[in-house]
Amino acid sequence: YVNVSFSYDQAVSRDELLFRFVANTSNYSIVISTACLVRVSIRLPAAALKFSKSLSMIVPRGGQQLVSTTLSNVGTKGSDNIFASIAANSYLTVAGPLFPLQLPNGASREITIAATPPLNTPFGKYVESIVFYDGNTQAALKVTTFVVSVTDAEYTVFVEDEYTYFAEGRPGLSG
């Protein structure tokens, strides 16, 4: 059994402190004086924003699709006013809640994103990020949209097995 005590010797830098260890045993008393370098990280309380998931949706051009995710403050301090930043030419909007919004530490809030691609949007896959920030921390929400058509039409598909019916010396199917 050893008792260890720490005594502050001198500050090496903001993140490094030098300590002197003195050990005493229960059977006899000895003093061992040795210096060692101990790194101490000091973190001030701060908000830390995090999303529960990224979003993916299929939306017809000229239509609208709503999808939600959860924004959480997993930090040790409440957030300041949170705002959303979206590219100027984006067809994505934050449908709810209203901004600015504040999240105490440990709190969560559902965020709803609306995708409304105009009728002239080319078909395809689009990936965008919406950045939520409070001046001290930020979180990027990845949003993937697949822009599709909603035009209804009837098609007739003919399937021919050219190998069986048209190859010389091969039998055709019966029945």
Side-chain angles (χ1 to χ4, degrees), residues 7-13 16-20 35-38:
S7 65
Y8 175 78
D9 194 14
Q10 111 188 54
V12 176
S13 71
E16 299 175 355
L17 299 176
L18 186 63
F19 288 92
R20 184 168 308 279
C36 68
L37 190 61
V38 177

Side-chain angles (χ1 to χ4, degrees), residues 14 16 21 49 85 93 102 120 134 137 155 167:
R14 190 183 87 187
E16 299 175 355
F21 294 94
L49 303 176
S85 176
T93 57
Q102 292 184 342
N120 63 350
D134 79 342
T137 187
Y155 297 96

Side-chain angles (χ1 to χ4, degrees), residues 1-71:
Y1 175 71
V2 175
N3 291 325
V4 178
S5 64
F6 298 97
S7 65
Y8 175 78
D9 194 14
Q10 111 188 54
V12 176
S13 71
R14 190 183 87 187
D15 295 331
E16 299 175 355
L17 299 176
L18 186 63
F19 288 92
R20 184 168 308 279
F21 294 94
V22 178
N24 295 313
T25 65
S26 58
N27 295 336
Y28 52 91
S29 181
I30 60 168
V31 175
I32 302 170
S33 209
T34 183
C36 68
L37 190 61
V38 177
R39 292 189 186 272
V40 177
S41 294
I42 300 171
R43 295 186 184 179
L44 298 175
L49 303 176
K50 181 180 176 186
F51 283 99
S52 60
K53 63 180 179 180
S54 58
L55 299 178
S56 180
M57 62 185 103
I58 298 172
V59 59
R61 59 184 180 180
Q64 184 180 60
Q65 181 72 28
L66 300 173
V67 183
S68 297
T69 186
T70 302
L71 175 63

Side-chain angles (χ1 to χ4, degrees), residues 135-157:
N136 298 310
T137 187
Q138 67 180 24
L141 174 62
K142 180 181 171 185
V143 181
T144 304
T145 55
F146 296 91
V147 177
V148 297
S149 173
V150 292
T151 304
D152 291 332
E154 289 188 24
Y155 297 96
T156 303
V157 178

Side-chain angles (χ1 to χ4, degrees), residues 54-128:
S54 58
L55 299 178
S56 180
M57 62 185 103
I58 298 172
V59 59
R61 59 184 180 180
Q64 184 180 60
Q65 181 72 28
L66 300 173
V67 183
S68 297
T69 186
T70 302
L71 175 63
S72 300
N73 180 356
V74 296
T76 56
K77 175 186 169 200
S79 73
D80 293 333
N81 288 336
I82 299 172
F83 296 92
S85 176
I86 303 173
N89 61 350
S90 177
Y91 53 81
L92 299 176
T93 57
V94 179
L98 297 176
F99 285 92
L101 110 99
Q102 292 184 342
L103 285 177
N105 62 314
S108 296
R109 190 76 183 266
E110 183 177 81
I111 304 291
T112 301
I113 303 299
T116 313
L119 283 171
N120 63 350
T121 304
F123 300 129
K125 175 182 175 182
Y126 297 87
V127 180
E128 296 186 52

